[in-house]
Amino acid sequence: MNSSDLQTVNIDLGSRSYHIAIRGSLFDSPLSYAELPKAQSALIVTNTTVGPLYAMQLQKALSGKYAQIHTVVLPDGEEFKTWQSLNLIFDALLQHRCDRKTTLFALGGGVIGDMTGFAAASYMRGVPFVQVPTTLLAQVDSSVGGKTAINHPLGKNMIGAFYQPLKVVCDLDTLKTLPDRELSAGLAEVIKYGPIADMDLLAWLEAHIDQVMARDPVALAHVVKRSCEIKAWVVGQDERESGLRAILNFGHTFGHAIEAGLGYGEWLHGEGVGCGMVMAAHLSLRLGLVDALFVARLTGLIAKAGLPVKGPVLSADDNAGRYLELMQVDKKSEAGDIKFVLIDGPGRAIVRSAPEAMVRQVIDLCCTEKLLKI
Amino acid sequence: MNSSDLQTVNIDLGSRSYHIAIRGSLFDSPLSYAELPKAQSALIVTNTTVGPLYAMQLQKALSGKYAQIHTVVLPDGEEFKTWQSLNLIFDALLQHRCDRKTTLFALGGGVIGDMTGFAAASYMRGVPFVQVPTTLLAQVDSSVGGKTAINHPLGKNMIGAFYQPLKVVCDLDTLKTLPDRELSAGLAEVIKYGPIADMDLLAWLEAHIDQVMARDPVALAHVVKRSCEIKAWVVGQDERESGLRAILNFGHTFGHAIEAGLGYGEWLHGEGVGCGMVMAAHLSLRLGLVDALFVARLTGLIAKAGLPVKGPVLSADDNAGRYLELMQVDKKSEAGDIKFVLIDGPGRAIVRSAPEAMVRQVIDLCCTEKLLKI
């Protein structure tokens, strides 16, 4: 594979099918948008970090296609994934008299993609949108699945819609400006696909983690493409998340509790997921579903990817109790019963509950130094 | 037809199909909800007017089915169809730890139905909901079509989703407590179905308007059932409003301008639509699509239904200009070009633009006393 080859992943969802284009030098080329339906106007939604780097180039690439191109710059960060930010998008759409064909462009990471997608799903009950993800996390995670949402003070991603983009443009060059910490956070979602679906990918990552961390374009292209393919395979079988799709939340139940417990923005989403995967692996081990070697391999790779493997203490009084409390509002919970995504033999995930005492033991173990001595 | 017979309209939308039950003594019977899927909890959304009349009875009817039943009471009126009210529903859902199976019940008129529907569409990206419409407008209009939305300061129904209920329970007894003005407003949407699709219905209404205004249950059952059937026929062919469905907006382009121009809540939605139909009929006449007799018949029926037929003056300086300005943000507009639903011969609607000078003439005519002298 050459780094200049265009990679494509097709997402087959009937009338809502689209494709993901993966390469460098993509987002600033008019050709990337040539096949999009015509419209009078476009709205670029970006943030204060990504906007100054790339918004002008995107606007230039779109200038031949749309008579009017407007830009909304939102504050950067998970803590701004709120109704207030979303409403800035609606304000701009209405102030500029945008119509039902106006196309929204999400230029940024997962937060921008989720908010722009929800705005597109809701404005006039649905307008077209295109994802231009500029973080590894957004490229491997938000590109596939159509999940859009904002946070509520009482829960993450609690308000949203399933809504598909017209196209996703993953420009690998935009990853050059990504801070190290965010590269690691993105890798959490990449590593995830190994234990739940493809142990070959896990082995490939173990062998190539140094190239990936050094942002080698060929390695990154493989990482993005393979992640999107696996996610597409899962989502293709369960678009509305009634069953199988839940396995994509491996590490997320613990991870969301960490994010919420520390306050959104303290740990990055991927950091919570990285640490959450270690905790979910330990719970799988306690239930006799995997062996200690598997847990050690996964923990080692997560650590090499620059991610935390030790859980933060969320409460000095009753740390495990606080984790449990936070996990009960997870969307997978039914009637307060927490559903975990666990590994049922390497490469295969299941969704099930676990005895509370066992969950408490795992939390206690994973939030202490003993963790790394398995 | 006996007033005690249960009338049913099936809405065929594949996996999202549901049915509308129409009769008296329906909403307070557990049997009306027997076929709904099981869940731990239900949330009744109602307002300060309808809640005191019916919320306890609904709660009692549901008490055998759900372990927990919560109620949210919102302020009453179109001016409260806002994000702030919507957020009160999300607050309640999260405070009570409602899960993905929690069923929402919209108990009230169109505003409650639209907001509850959008909350159900968005909470955890979609939870089940049931409509219990207590106004004629909601029974004949919101029952079919899956349109949900809130208003934005710059436009009505600008933020929303297409989302179908599990069931609609139209209890004709709840219409007994409806103020006369709201009965008339509901009739606007009933009358609408004549010119756009069924002149037999228009003739039936001309012959039975007195019974309808007297709230005769047999007459009301016919009105609700026939309106739902016609709307279902239209929506069944165009669920996402890409073409045909737009004809349901007959009278709405002018009507929305009236509502927005006077300030939401000043005129009821149905009053705007009633007057808007007169204006759209005059525009159809000017374009040579209908004759003066048709305009007179329609205007006469609208007046007999207790609805305004003369347009309000929205600006002392340039009244027609203000109407045009307000109509340009209508969702049907594309690139500022206003699309009107017009009558192309009695019983048949088309969507088209019209010369601005002609639209101005119609507005000037319909906002003066000359109107009734056609």
Side-chain angles (χ1 to χ4, degrees):
Chain A
M1 189 165 76
N2 192 298
S3 66
S4 64
D5 289 344
L6 179 67
Q7 304 288 321
T8 303
V9 179
N10 291 306
I11 309 298
D12 187 6
L13 293 166
S15 64
R16 297 182 309 288
S17 296
Y18 65 94
H19 74 271
I20 305 168
I22 305 163
R23 207 191 61 191
S25 306
L26 263 190
F27 92 95
D28 51 356
S29 162
L31 282 176
S32 298
Y33 313 104
E35 83 269 30
L36 297 175
K38 282 186 185 169
Q40 271 292 310
S41 59
L43 180 75
I44 299 169
V45 181
T46 186
N47 66 31
T48 49
T49 306
V50 176
L53 294 170
Y54 302 122
M56 285 297 288
Q57 289 168 70
L58 178 57
Q59 184 149 4
K60 202 172 161 195
L62 299 175
S63 62
K65 189 165 183 90
Y66 305 99
Q68 294 165 44
I69 303 167
H70 309 288
T71 302
V72 177
V73 182
L74 304 179
D76 184 19
E78 180 80 28
E79 65 272 34
F80 296 107
K81 193 172 161 182
T82 60
W83 167 259
Q84 286 74 19
S85 298
L86 185 72
N87 214 29
L88 294 175
I89 306 176
F90 293 133
D91 289 346
L93 286 164
L94 281 157
Q95 277 156 10
H96 296 303
R97 301 194 176 190
C98 292
D99 62 31
R100 279 185 170 165
K101 293 187 174 173
T102 298
T103 306
L104 272 61
F105 289 81
L107 176 67
V111 172
I112 288 293
D114 279 10
M115 284 201 291
T116 309
F118 188 39
S122 306
Y123 184 63
M124 294 190 175
R125 301 193 188 91
V127 295
F129 93 111
V130 174
Q131 299 258 27
V132 187
T134 61
T135 67
L136 180 60
L137 175 61
Q139 292 187 357
V140 300
D141 192 45
S142 319
S143 294
V144 187
K147 278 193 181 182
T148 72
I150 56 171
N151 297 332
H152 182 282
L154 296 177
K156 194 172 147 70
N157 291 328
M158 283 293 163
I159 302 163
F162 287 99
Y163 198 68
Q164 306 296 340
L166 291 181
K167 182 173 184 176
V168 180
V169 177
C170 291
D171 191 325
L172 301 172
D173 288 343
T174 63
L175 303 183
K176 291 177 185 165
T177 52
L178 196 65
D180 289 342
R181 194 176 161 198
E182 291 206 34
L183 184 76
S184 294
L187 282 173
E189 299 282 358
V190 175
I191 293 169
K192 170 185 86 177
Y193 293 113
I196 66 167
D198 182 9
M199 288 300 285
D200 286 350
L201 176 62
L202 194 86
W204 186 93
L205 286 167
E206 288 177 318
H208 297 83
I209 189 69
D210 293 341
Q211 286 102 305
V212 172
M213 295 295 280
R215 306 181 196 213
D216 173 76
V218 177
L220 285 176
H222 180 75
V223 155
V224 173
K225 185 172 190 228
R226 192 70 197 114
S227 299
C228 290
E229 281 171 349
I230 296 172
K231 186 162 183 185
W233 174 78
V234 174
V235 171
Q237 295 173 76
D238 178 23
E239 189 185 346
R240 305 292 299 222
E241 199 166 24
S242 43
L244 179 69
R245 184 168 173 168
I247 69 170
L248 297 173
N249 285 320
F250 177 54
H252 285 59
T253 307
F254 289 106
H256 282 168
I258 292 171
E259 279 184 275
L262 292 175
Y264 292 119
E266 190 64 27
W267 276 30
L268 295 175
H269 174 68
E271 291 169 340
V273 170
C275 185
M277 286 193 287
V278 175
M279 298 170 98
H282 275 275
L283 187 54
S284 307
L285 175 63
R286 294 256 164 167
L287 286 163
L289 303 172
V290 295
D291 60 22
L293 177 64
F294 168 81
V295 179
R297 268 184 78 186
L298 182 62
T299 307
L301 181 60
I302 291 168
K304 273 194 180 168
L307 291 162
V309 292
K310 184 186 160 197
V313 174
L314 301 180
S315 163
D317 294 338
D318 178 13
N319 185 47
R322 180 68 182 137
Y323 269 85
L324 286 165
E325 185 182 50
L326 288 162
M327 291 192 289
Q328 270 161 0
V329 295
D330 187 86
K331 285 195 289 300
K332 288 185 295 302
S333 295
E334 277 173 26
D337 186 27
I338 306 165
K339 301 281 183 193
F340 296 95
V341 181
L342 300 174
I343 304 305
D344 185 21
R348 206 165 82 98
I350 51 163
V351 180
R352 56 165 286 183
S353 53
E356 186 179 312
M358 191 185 283
V359 178
R360 282 182 172 271
Q361 286 168 0
V362 166
I363 294 165
D364 289 340
L365 173 77
C366 291
C367 294
T368 66
E369 291 301 336
K370 280 180 288 179
L371 173 69
L372 294 174
K373 296 183 195 154
I374 43 169
Chain B
M1 190 163 77
N2 192 297
S3 65
S4 63
D5 291 342
L6 179 67
Q7 305 288 321
T8 303
V9 179
N10 291 306
I11 309 298
D12 187 7
L13 292 167
S15 64
R16 296 183 309 289
S17 297
Y18 64 94
H19 74 272
I20 305 168
I22 306 164
R23 207 191 61 190
S25 306
L26 263 190
F27 92 95
D28 50 356
S29 163
L31 283 177
S32 298
Y33 313 104
E35 83 270 28
L36 296 175
K38 283 185 184 171
Q40 271 292 309
S41 60
L43 180 75
I44 299 169
V45 182
T46 187
N47 65 32
T48 48
T49 305
V50 176
L53 294 170
Y54 302 122
M56 284 298 288
Q57 289 169 70
L58 178 57
Q59 183 148 4
K60 202 171 160 194
L62 299 175
S63 61
K65 189 165 183 91
Y66 305 99
Q68 294 164 45
I69 303 167
H70 309 287
T71 302
V72 177
V73 183
L74 304 179
D76 184 19
E78 180 79 28
E79 65 272 35
F80 297 108
K81 192 171 161 181
T82 60
W83 167 258
Q84 286 75 19
S85 297
L86 186 72
N87 214 30
L88 295 174
I89 306 175
F90 293 133
D91 289 346
L93 286 165
L94 282 156
Q95 278 157 10
H96 296 304
R97 301 193 176 191
C98 292
D99 62 30
R100 280 185 171 168
K101 293 187 174 174
T102 298
T103 306
L104 272 61
F105 289 81
L107 176 68
V111 172
I112 287 294
D114 279 10
M115 284 200 292
T116 309
F118 188 39
S122 307
Y123 183 62
M124 294 190 175
R125 301 193 188 90
V127 295
F129 92 111
V130 174
Q131 299 258 27
V132 187
T134 61
T135 67
L136 180 61
L137 175 62
Q139 292 188 357
V140 300
D141 192 44
S142 320
S143 294
V144 187
K147 279 193 182 181
T148 72
I150 55 172
N151 297 331
H152 182 282
L154 295 178
K156 195 172 146 70
N157 291 327
M158 283 293 162
I159 301 163
F162 287 98
Y163 198 68
Q164 305 297 340
L166 291 181
K167 183 175 184 176
V168 180
V169 177
C170 291
D171 192 324
L172 301 172
D173 288 343
T174 63
L175 302 184
K176 291 177 185 165
T177 51
L178 195 65
D180 289 342
R181 194 177 161 196
E182 292 206 34
L183 184 76
S184 294
L187 282 174
E189 299 282 357
V190 174
I191 292 168
K192 169 186 86 177
Y193 293 114
I196 66 167
D198 181 9
M199 287 300 284
D200 288 349
L201 175 63
L202 193 86
W204 186 94
L205 285 167
E206 289 177 317
H208 297 84
I209 189 69
D210 293 340
Q211 287 102 305
V212 171
M213 295 296 280
R215 307 180 195 214
D216 172 75
V218 177
L220 285 175
H222 180 74
V223 154
V224 173
K225 184 172 189 228
R226 192 70 198 113
S227 298
C228 290
E229 281 171 350
I230 296 172
K231 186 163 183 185
W233 173 78
V234 174
V235 171
Q237 295 174 74
D238 178 23
E239 191 184 347
R240 304 293 299 222
E241 198 166 25
S242 44
L244 179 69
R245 184 168 174 169
I247 70 170
L248 297 173
N249 285 321
F250 176 54
H252 285 60
T253 307
F254 289 105
H256 283 168
I258 292 171
E259 280 185 273
L262 292 175
Y264 291 118
E266 188 65 28
W267 276 30
L268 296 175
H269 174 69
E271 292 170 338
V273 170
C275 185
M277 287 193 286
V278 175
M279 298 171 99
H282 275 275
L283 188 54
S284 306
L285 175 64
R286 294 255 165 167
L287 286 163
L289 303 172
V290 294
D291 60 21
L293 177 64
F294 168 81
V295 179
R297 269 183 78 186
L298 180 62
T299 307
L301 181 61
I302 291 168
K304 274 193 180 168
L307 292 161
V309 292
K310 184 187 159 194
V313 173
L314 301 180
S315 163
D317 293 338
D318 178 12
N319 186 46
R322 179 68 183 137
Y323 269 85
L324 286 164
E325 185 182 50
L326 289 161
M327 290 191 290
Q328 271 161 0
V329 294
D330 187 85
K331 287 195 289 299
K332 288 185 296 301
S333 295
E334 277 173 26
D337 186 27
I338 307 164
K339 300 282 183 192
F340 297 94
V341 181
L342 300 174
I343 304 304
D344 187 21
R348 206 165 83 97
I350 51 164
V351 180
R352 56 165 285 183
S353 54
E356 185 180 313
M358 192 185 284
V359 178
R360 283 182 171 271
Q361 286 169 359
V362 166
I363 294 165
D364 289 340
L365 173 78
C366 292
C367 295
T368 66
E369 291 301 336
K370 279 180 289 180
L371 173 69
L372 294 173
K373 295 184 195 153
I374 42 169

